[in-house]
Amino acid sequence: MKISTTVIMIAGSLLSVPAMADDAYGTPFEGWGFVKDDWQLVCDNTLTCRAAGYADEGLVSEEILSASILLTVVAGEKLPSAEVILSSEDYDEQEKLVSDQLSKNTDNVELSLNDKSYGIVQFSADGKGQLSRTQLQQLLKLANQNTKIQFTSGVYKWQVSDKGLAAILLKLDEVQGRVGTPLAFISKNNPNRQTPKKALKIPIVKKDYSYLDDAALEAGKQALDPKKLAYFQANINRWVDIDSEQFIGSEDTTDDCELINPKSESSINLAKYSSNNLDWDFTPVNANYTLASHLCWRGAYNMGAGFWLINHAKPSKPELITTSASDYSDGEISAFHKDRGIGDCWNSQTWVWNGKTFALTEDSSTGMCRGFAGGAWNLPTYTSEVIRSDNKVQ
């Protein structure tokens, strides 16, 4: 089966740097991460942290275009890597600019900090630039000062805001245990010395290939006989408890899957226009497991489906995988959602069949909504390495 994809405020400052992040919000390990002004910090389960900075939206104009910088910091390592992307009001013109640079085999995008040049930024064929070690060190040196960060090429000018950079790096110091150590980016002299943390191992997920692939499903090679299918259809509402507060919400809680209940206001309203979307679907994973799915919610430009894994040996206790899925295909459940309508920021998750359940393998966003088509970066809060369970090369 395929389904089409249609704050708590917290203070993050340390005692030695008062009020630096008083109006920051979020946690580095969820969603958009820890956000302060025009910068954000997103850390994953291996303790790799990514700090992304964007242009001040109030300054973007025909003369000043937006750019973004991504600092990727591995726990325990001294220096991050630093990437750059440049946007343009005319993406065709931006593509032409990068193409012209490559065809001439010369880069002509120059970095300046406080109007002082720090040389040419080298760009690759994918349009991303890489700051040199010297450029990166100078940027970090100026991080706790007011700094004008600008890239120029001929008549083109791009800027990245410095607002929030120091607070984000300070939070990064705290998360990775850099405070009061030579590894710190902002807080080297903080008396509250931490012990630097080591990078954590990336989880290994073994993808099991005992599932029915798309070709087999489309050819009608169903693992469900008619009697079993009828049994599932007759009992699924009771098994998943469609009246549960978890799914339909209450006065005090929001719902995760209101459309699962035909008596809900949302279901009644949607049924007036599209009753076919409110049926259960059953997709065999293999001879022993089946996915039950149902539309859970629908918004202006997003939708999410619930997926429950039914073990044929004990069908009355289906396992909920997610209530925000977009698609199931070839042993993987995926979710892709826009954070706003123009599609300049997305979030995504993937679950992979491991023979017993669908294990989460990736949870990420593309960063803040700052005008980059398709999103600026890949900022995971959870990552893993997926290998074949039979040890064959994928």
Side-chain angles (χ1 to χ4, degrees):
M1 183 200 73
K2 292 188 177 181
I3 300 173
S4 299
T5 305
T6 29
V7 203
I8 298 176
M9 302 296 290
I10 64 172
S13 58
L14 296 173
L15 294 177
S16 63
V17 192
M20 181 173 280
D22 279 354
D23 58 347
Y25 64 88
T27 164
F29 297 97
E30 295 179 0
W32 275 7
F34 181 78
V35 177
K36 169 65 174 173
D37 296 322
D38 298 311
W39 281 78
Q40 65 180 144
L41 177 70
V42 182
C43 301
D44 66 28
N45 51 305
T46 71
L47 270 185
T48 294
C49 294
R50 295 166 177 87
Y54 309 86
D56 183 334
E57 291 182 293
L59 298 180
V60 175
S61 64
E62 291 183 1
E63 290 76 28
I64 302 296
L65 304 175
S66 61
S68 182
I69 292 175
L70 176 66
L71 305 177
T72 301
V73 189
V74 177
E77 293 190 2
K78 185 174 183 180
L79 282 178
S81 63
E83 296 176 271
V84 179
I85 53 173
L86 309 175
S87 72
S88 172
E89 296 301 315
D90 182 346
Y91 284 95
D92 291 337
E93 183 63 30
Q94 170 62 19
E95 184 177 340
K96 182 176 183 299
L97 171 63
V98 176
S99 177
D100 287 348
Q101 292 173 352
L102 294 171
S103 65
K104 296 175 183 178
N105 197 30
T106 179
D107 295 322
N108 59 356
V109 176
E110 188 175 5
L111 168 67
S112 65
L113 302 173
N114 291 334
D115 295 320
K116 179 179 178 180
S117 174
Y118 286 91
I120 298 299
V121 178
Q122 300 298 319
F123 279 78
S124 57
D126 62 2
K128 292 181 180 178
Q130 188 81 31
L131 296 189
S132 68
R133 183 183 181 89
T134 299
Q135 291 168 335
L136 172 59
Q137 288 174 326
Q138 191 60 37
L139 176 63
L140 294 174
K141 182 179 179 181
L142 298 173
N144 59 354
Q145 304 176 24
N146 292 329
T147 307
K148 178 182 176 183
I149 306 170
Q150 184 164 279
F151 300 90
T152 59
S153 178
V155 298
Y156 296 98
K157 294 181 181 179
W158 298 266
Q159 284 190 4
V160 175
S161 171
D162 69 330
K163 295 178 182 177
L165 172 57
I168 290 301
L169 292 180
L170 180 62
K171 172 59 73 172
L172 198 159
D173 283 347
E174 177 188 336
V175 169
Q176 292 191 346
R178 296 171 180 263
V179 174
T181 76
L183 290 177
F185 297 111
I186 296 294
S187 53
K188 283 185 173 63
N189 298 321
N190 192 295
N192 300 318
R193 181 183 176 90
Q194 293 181 302
T195 300
K197 298 177 182 179
K198 296 180 180 180
L200 301 177
K201 291 183 178 180
I202 188 169
I204 303 296
V205 175
K206 293 185 176 182
K207 182 175 181 179
D208 188 274
Y209 282 77
S210 65
Y211 60 83
L212 295 172
D213 61 23
D214 287 354
L217 293 174
E218 291 173 4
K221 296 180 180 178
Q222 300 286 325
L224 291 177
D225 61 47
K227 289 184 179 180
K228 189 178 290 289
L229 177 59
Y231 177 59
F232 288 170
Q233 290 172 331
N235 291 281
I236 189 63
N237 285 351
R238 178 170 55 86
W239 291 343
V240 303
D241 189 7
I242 64 172
D243 295 314
S244 168
E245 185 177 299
Q246 174 188 2
F247 301 131
I248 64 174
S250 68
E251 293 182 358
D252 301 318
T253 61
T254 57
D255 62 88
D256 285 336
C257 193
E258 188 177 11
L259 291 175
I260 200 175
N261 192 313
K263 298 178 182 178
S264 70
E265 182 178 355
S266 295
S267 291
I268 293 171
N269 290 336
L270 184 58
K272 295 176 183 178
Y273 306 100
S274 182
S275 59
N276 291 336
N277 288 332
L278 294 175
D279 296 329
W280 281 95
D281 286 312
F282 295 89
T283 305
V285 178
N286 58 24
N288 300 312
Y289 291 88
T290 293
L291 276 173
S293 58
H294 196 289
L295 185 64
C296 278
W297 53 267
R298 183 188 293 277
Y301 40 81
N302 283 320
M303 56 154 288
F307 276 83
W308 286 261
L309 180 65
I310 299 175
N311 182 341
H312 295 185
K314 44 184 178 180
S316 63
K317 296 182 179 180
E319 176 191 2
L320 175 62
I321 306 300
T322 179
T323 56
S324 295
S326 304
D327 178 70
Y328 169 69
S329 178
D330 285 344
E332 297 188 9
I333 297 172
S334 56
F336 300 95
H337 298 109
K338 295 180 183 179
D339 286 318
R340 70 175 179 179
I342 64 173
D344 60 342
C345 43
W346 295 74
N347 62 81
S348 64
Q349 298 81 36
T350 303
W351 296 263
V352 168
W353 176 244
N354 65 10
K356 295 182 178 180
T357 187
F358 284 87
L360 180 69
T361 59
E362 176 262 346
D363 191 345
S364 66
S365 75
T366 63
M368 295 166 67
C369 306
R370 293 302 179 95
F372 292 91
W377 306 106
N378 180 42
L379 307 178
T381 55
Y382 187 85
T383 187
S384 66
E385 180 182 356
V386 179
I387 64 174
R388 292 180 63 111
S389 59
D390 54 13
N391 296 320
K392 293 181 180 179
V393 178
Q394 291 204 92

